[in-house]
Amino acid sequence: MASAASAPPTPASPGNLKRIVAASLIGTTIEWYDFFLYGSAAALVFNKLFFPESDPLVGTLLSFLTYAVGFAARPIGALVFGHYGDRLGRKKLLVLSLLLMGGATFAIGLLPTYATIGSAAPVLLTVLRLVQGFALGGEWGGAVLLVSEHGDARRRGFWASWPQTGAPAGQLLATGVLSLLTAVLSESAFGSWGWRIPFLLSGVLVIVGLWIRLSVDESPVFKQALAQAEARKSTRAAEADAGAEKLPLVSVMRHHWRDVLVAMGARMAENISYYVITAFILVYATTSAGVSKQTALNAVLIASAVHFAVIPGWGALSDRIGRRPVYLLGAAGVGLWMFPFFSLIDTGGFGNLLLAVTVGLVLHGAMYAPQAAFFSEMFATRMRYSGASIGAQFASVAAGAPAPLIATALLDAYGSSTPIALYVISAAILTLIAVGVAKETRHRDLVDVERSAGAEPTAARAADAHTV
């Protein structure tokens, strides 16, 4: 049994790998559609529907505060989904995350507003946002691992970048639906009932996503790790180590704490810049630059399409020159772009607005594309779902969660884009430091990542008996 367990897993065939990539991409697209739809609605209508007694900018701040609550639940989702994903498998948890996210989004579309039920409306909105965040906290790690663990190291950066395109695809879908509705409906009709349509549409998307996601196989790398753990449970060593860590957070922080810190630092510029460029921009462009909502949405819509297209290219480049060089290029580029970014928007022209957002998202893609393979290659199989999710989602609390809120507060306090640009630049510096001190992971074998990552063999055997 032990020898069978140690046999190397067979990589997925090209056709099967494409099906797995498609399943992960469609699932993450739906999840991000649901998540970004809330962010766009928070910037456009939630301030009036759920916080009508506040002045417009304060209402927007409160609306973004409920938006940030979703990020607070993401680390909890990362812990729970990572814990069970490293024991039961990636696929089962991905199905659950899709159901939770879709159900919460559909329910938002049915939610009564402040005018109907008073203060209970923003409370219920916040609860549903928490469910969204919890589901997304478990989705990302499982989706990228399912692809990473099915392929081989030679093109892992390229294939693992496709689930990452789910973010711009979801943004594209959410912004596209909202843009279409704001174009064909009057402002009063959109504020009255039109805003509900994109949320209710999530129910149809979830059915499609479940049908595709249920058709894929479990990761062969995880199956091998499970077989190895089952073999070790019958050995004396496993019995002697019965008190080893059972919580994934404990195991990850004991054996991979440096990798967790690197992942968190790497996320700072990537996460903060993305939400400033795509969510806060809807506030800044409409209030400070005098751009209409439709114009701002169209710019984000077109830029998101470009973002989707460039991510696989950045992922493929990381296979050729390494994860770190591509990531560092993106972090430096985003930091340098911030002052031109706001200067272009301040002109009020659509062309300049489109250029600002597009260049910003292309540079963001240089960080986001290699991130899936980079984080996957840092952690051992027995704690990879937990480690990748914890590193990514814990950082989101300090990065993406408050980014639109901080940017809006800075605009309110200073009436200038300069503090906001400096805020993003500071995040870029943190990311440059974190990725700069990290080890290159491009050639790591996911099956043998324990030795490459520097984990102690004895501790690895102890954790295996309980983590998988």
Side-chain angles (χ1 to χ4, degrees):
M1 182 174 179
S3 61
S6 60
T10 304
S13 65
N16 192 38
L17 181 58
K18 290 177 182 178
R19 184 161 54 88
I20 291 161
V21 168
S24 292
L25 171 58
I26 291 172
T28 53
T29 297
I30 295 169
E31 295 261 5
W32 282 113
Y33 165 80
D34 293 346
F35 203 75
F36 287 142
L37 181 60
Y38 189 104
S40 298
L44 296 174
V45 294
F46 280 179
N47 57 335
K48 301 182 183 72
L49 296 174
F50 293 94
F51 308 99
E53 294 184 353
S54 305
D55 66 64
L57 199 54
V58 173
T60 300
L61 280 167
L62 292 173
S63 184
F64 275 141
L65 186 59
T66 62
Y67 174 69
V69 163
F71 287 84
R74 282 165 70 170
I76 302 173
L79 287 172
V80 174
F81 279 81
H83 178 90
Y84 289 104
D86 282 334
R87 286 157 174 74
L88 305 177
R90 295 28 172 147
K91 176 180 171 180
K92 294 175 183 176
L93 274 296
L94 286 174
V95 169
L96 178 60
S97 71
L98 192 61
L99 285 171
L100 285 174
M101 176 67 87
T105 305
F106 188 82
I108 290 174
L110 300 175
L111 196 63
T113 63
Y114 186 93
T116 304
I117 59 173
S119 58
V123 171
L124 291 173
L125 182 67
T126 302
V127 170
L128 291 172
R129 181 60 175 174
L130 282 168
V131 175
Q132 280 191 325
F134 178 79
L136 191 61
E139 163 70 22
W140 181 84
V144 299
L145 293 189
L146 198 62
V147 176
S148 295
E149 293 179 344
H150 269 92
D152 64 285
R154 190 173 61 87
R155 301 192 70 196
R156 185 179 298 128
F158 171 73
W159 289 116
S161 70
W162 279 100
Q164 299 291 77
T165 64
Q171 178 78 66
L172 188 66
L173 190 58
T175 307
V177 172
L178 284 172
S179 181
L180 176 63
L181 289 171
T182 55
V184 301
L185 296 177
S186 66
E187 189 168 348
S188 61
F190 181 77
S192 175
W193 55 269
W195 67 271
R196 298 181 183 275
I197 295 174
F199 289 91
L200 297 176
L201 180 62
S202 178
V204 178
L205 297 176
V206 167
I207 293 173
V208 176
L210 283 175
W211 176 68
I212 296 173
R213 187 159 276 186
L214 286 168
S215 68
V216 302
D217 296 326
E218 183 54 81
S219 152
V221 174
F222 174 80
K223 288 179 179 178
Q224 185 196 37
L226 181 63
Q228 289 173 337
E230 290 298 325
R232 289 188 181 117
K233 282 181 182 179
S234 62
T235 67
R236 291 181 180 178
E239 293 173 2
D241 291 319
E245 310 99 314
K246 294 185 179 181
L247 291 174
L249 178 59
V250 175
S251 297
V252 168
M253 295 309 294
R254 178 176 176 181
H255 306 302
H256 289 277
W257 63 269
R258 291 183 183 86
D259 298 315
V260 169
L261 291 178
V262 167
M264 291 178 67
R267 284 276 282 169
M268 297 307 290
E270 178 269 307
N271 222 216
I272 289 173
S273 65
Y274 188 77
Y275 290 105
V276 168
I277 293 170
T278 59
F280 171 71
I281 192 64
L282 297 178
V283 175
Y284 184 81
T286 55
T287 59
S288 295
V291 176
S292 69
K293 289 180 181 179
Q294 186 65 46
T295 300
L297 283 169
N298 287 342
V300 174
L301 184 70
I302 297 171
S304 293
V306 177
H307 193 211
F308 178 90
V310 300
I311 284 178
W314 286 123
L317 184 61
S318 79
D319 285 327
R320 295 180 63 86
I321 67 174
R323 319 298 183 212
R324 291 174 67 251
V326 177
Y327 213 116
L328 291 169
L329 173 64
V334 162
L336 292 171
W337 184 244
M338 276 302 103
F339 280 112
F341 173 79
F342 284 108
S343 296
L344 286 168
I345 295 172
D346 288 338
T347 65
F350 175 73
N352 287 339
L353 173 63
L354 179 60
L355 177 64
V357 179
T358 301
V359 173
L361 287 182
V362 168
L363 292 169
H364 171 271
M367 293 182 283
Y368 200 54
Q371 189 179 96
F374 190 32
F375 289 8
S376 298
E377 291 158 350
M378 289 181 183
F379 301 96
T381 302
R382 68 192 182 281
M383 57 187 79
R384 185 169 292 131
Y385 201 145
S386 299
S389 297
I390 289 169
Q393 304 306 335
F394 272 58
S396 69
V397 176
L405 189 64
I406 290 173
T408 304
L410 289 172
L411 180 63
D412 187 33
Y414 296 97
S416 167
S417 63
T418 299
I420 305 167
L422 293 174
Y423 167 53
V424 179
I425 291 170
S426 300
I429 292 171
L430 285 175
T431 293
L432 287 170
I433 294 171
V435 178
V437 302
K439 296 178 181 178
E440 180 57 59
T441 63
R442 176 166 55 120
H443 296 299
R444 284 185 181 170
D445 183 350
L446 293 185
V447 178
D448 199 34
V449 76
E450 287 88 347
R451 287 195 294 272
S452 350
E456 296 177 342
T458 302
R461 286 195 298 269
D464 265 338
H466 298 280
T467 307
V468 182

